[in-house]
DNA sequence: GTGCTAGTTAGCAATCAATGCAGATTAGCA
DNA sequence: TGCTAATCTGCATTGATTGCTAACTAGCAC
């Protein structure tokens, strides 16, 4: 994800306005490695800006995602998580505490896929399930 | 997933009763390669047994899953899908029509994972996103 | 076969995540 | 300083799933 300053320009360039709510969310997401849910981010944002709406958090995250600045991660339980890391990477999720971390996978592009039957593949998501160091 | 006959024994062995509803669902899931949602299965079941409850479909699918006879597949959109194929396999999903198919992946156990930071991995889910032959 | 009882079913309420909507507000420009 | 399209908040609604409970029944003991 771009820096808050760059996002400010990018939003204006797209005819979108830059509001205090959006600037706050830019800052909270920039460099964020927690893969937060919309609700988790809403809680964080509410500390600095009481009264901000959960709806606004969803809106802004969706805008960022459609600009390609965020990725949506679905770990198969609970709410979708938002990821400012748009590099080619994958995830490991702790079955116990739900913690999600980035992992970088070598060999993912050389997987041999049998049974495609005419399907063409555009992208690959690899999710590792396990236990984090704390929950081990 | 075991055959309907074997499941009948397995259920009784676990102190669970074998009802007409469950037998129907055993038959509908056995060898089913569609990865149906609970609701899709409910529609199918309703043809042969009008009045069956969606709740019962969820119950039975959950029971089968906790007995290890079914896998739950979350493709990141819409409802969870249920899979009687418990072999080591992965999935490809059509972004256009939502069709989900089995794929067998060679090399998935030899992936090099960087950044685990103390995480231990129990299992791996690989989801390929693309277009089916029909939607290409 | 009859009766008992623990397990099951159907139906509906409740929850959770996410989106739709509309009136009040405001960023950004002239 | 005004204008106006875009945004924000708060609330209603949707969709998937689970919780709850009274009525029902499979499976077993007699
Ligand atoms: Mn990530
Ligand atoms: Mn499958
Ligand atoms: Zn953990
Ligand atoms: Zn398709």
């Amino acid at each position: 994800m771009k820096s808050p300053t760059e996002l400010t320009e990018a939003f204006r360039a797209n005819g979108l306005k830059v509001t205090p709510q959006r600037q706050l969310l830019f800052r909270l997401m920039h460099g964020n490695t927690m893969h937060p849910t919309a609700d988790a981010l809403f809680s964080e944002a509410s500390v600095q800006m009481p009264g901000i709406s959960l709806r606004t958090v969803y809106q802004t995250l969706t805008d960022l995602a459609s600009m390609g600045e965020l990725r949506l991660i679905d770990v198969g339980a609970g709410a979708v998580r938002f990821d400012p890391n748009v590099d080619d990477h994958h995830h490991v999720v702790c079955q116990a505490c739900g913690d999600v971390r980035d992992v970088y996978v070598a060999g993912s592009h050389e997987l041999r896929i049998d049974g495609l039957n005419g399907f063409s593949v555009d992208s690959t998501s690899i999710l590792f399930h396990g236990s984090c160091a704390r929950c081990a």
Side-chain angles (χ1 to χ4, degrees), chain A:
Chain A
M1 189 178 106
K2 294 192 177 83
S3 73
T5 309
E6 291 169 315
L7 287 173
T8 294
E9 289 174 35
F11 265 57
R12 294 217 176 101
N14 280 37
L16 301 177
K17 293 180 177 175
V18 177
T19 65
Q21 289 89 344
R22 285 178 174 175
Q23 288 174 307
L24 172 57
L25 292 168
F26 294 169
R27 291 196 300 274
L28 290 177
M29 280 307 284
H30 188 243
N32 191 322
T33 61
M34 300 293 290
H35 304 90
T37 61
D39 200 67
L41 205 60
F42 169 63
S43 295
E44 275 191 77
S46 296
V47 176
Q48 296 187 49
M49 188 182 284
I52 190 173
S53 163
L54 174 60
R55 192 68 185 81
T56 297
V57 175
Y58 271 106
Q59 303 258 52
T60 302
L61 291 173
T62 300
D63 288 343
L64 284 167
S66 59
M67 292 170 65
E69 299 293 336
L70 288 184
R71 278 179 51 191
L72 275 61
I73 314 289
D74 189 331
V75 295
V80 166
R81 289 154 177 279
F82 294 86
D83 191 352
N85 182 352
V86 292
D87 293 348
D88 183 9
H89 73 289
H90 299 280
H91 296 93
V92 56
V93 55
C94 175
Q95 314 272 101
C97 68
D99 197 19
V100 176
R101 294 293 180 81
D102 287 343
V103 289
Y104 292 85
V105 178
S108 66
H109 299 285
E110 288 81 42
L111 292 169
R112 295 289 176 136
I113 313 171
D114 190 18
L116 275 179
N117 271 98
F119 261 90
S120 63
V121 172
D122 296 328
S123 66
T124 302
S125 309
I126 308 180
L127 188 60
F128 299 98
H129 309 264
S131 304
C132 72
R134 190 184 309 240
C135 296

